[in-house]
Amino acid sequence: IIFSAQEGILIFYHIKDLQYEIKICADISQPISSLIFSPDYTSLLLVTDQGTVYSYRPAHSGEAVKLLDTSSSCFLAADFFIPGKNYCVSVTISGEVQIWSLEDGTFLSKINLGIEVHVT
């Protein structure tokens, strides 16, 4: 089980039979609003309320890597861009959809929908 605490800590519970182990995987020091696994479950996006997106690879047990910081653009949500796991898509409240590289956080493309966007 992987979950996040309000303080921005990503926690892993490994449960086997009646035993469990707790491991702190990452501490990004910002409240995490959502966790999104890639389609093949090898990568995890950590999205904060402030509009920062981090990538974490559970199998590599490394630190979470900051991919993008959209705090100045009314960030709303992010997800993996399918097919594959090399890109993510983000959307702002104003309707701007952006594509980012998960390798290094490079901004690749955007399109403006021309409408205000809401998440339900």
Side-chain angles (χ1 to χ4, degrees):
I1 299 172
I2 293 181
F3 71 93
S4 67
Q6 282 294 330
E7 298 81 22
I9 300 171
L10 182 68
I11 300 171
F12 172 74
Y13 272 88
H14 181 250
I15 302 170
K16 184 175 182 180
D17 299 322
L18 297 175
Q19 302 294 320
Y20 68 92
E21 176 186 352
I22 301 172
K23 178 183 175 187
I24 295 177
C25 300
D27 182 355
I28 61 171
S29 302
Q30 295 180 33
I32 299 170
S33 60
S34 60
L35 303 171
I36 304 121
F37 269 104
S38 62
D40 63 359
Y41 295 99
T42 60
S43 296
L44 183 64
L45 289 182
L46 312 174
V47 182
T48 71
D49 290 335
Q50 290 83 16
T52 309
V53 178
Y54 293 83
S55 175
Y56 180 77
R57 295 179 186 251
H60 294 96
S61 299
E63 287 294 313
V65 176
K66 184 189 281 189
L67 294 176
L68 57 125
D69 188 350
T70 61
S71 56
S72 62
S73 62
C74 300
F75 175 81
L76 191 60
D79 202 346
F80 285 90
F81 190 71
I82 299 178
K85 61 181 181 200
N86 298 327
Y87 306 99
C88 77
V89 61
S90 64
V91 66
T92 64
I93 293 170
S94 63
E96 186 173 272
V97 178
Q98 305 157 334
I99 306 293
W100 305 87
S101 168
L102 288 175
E103 295 297 319
D104 58 7
T106 302
F107 171 77
L108 300 171
S109 184
K110 70 179 177 179
I111 186 171
N112 196 319
L113 303 175
I115 59 170
E116 190 171 299
V117 177
H118 303 275
V119 174
T120 58

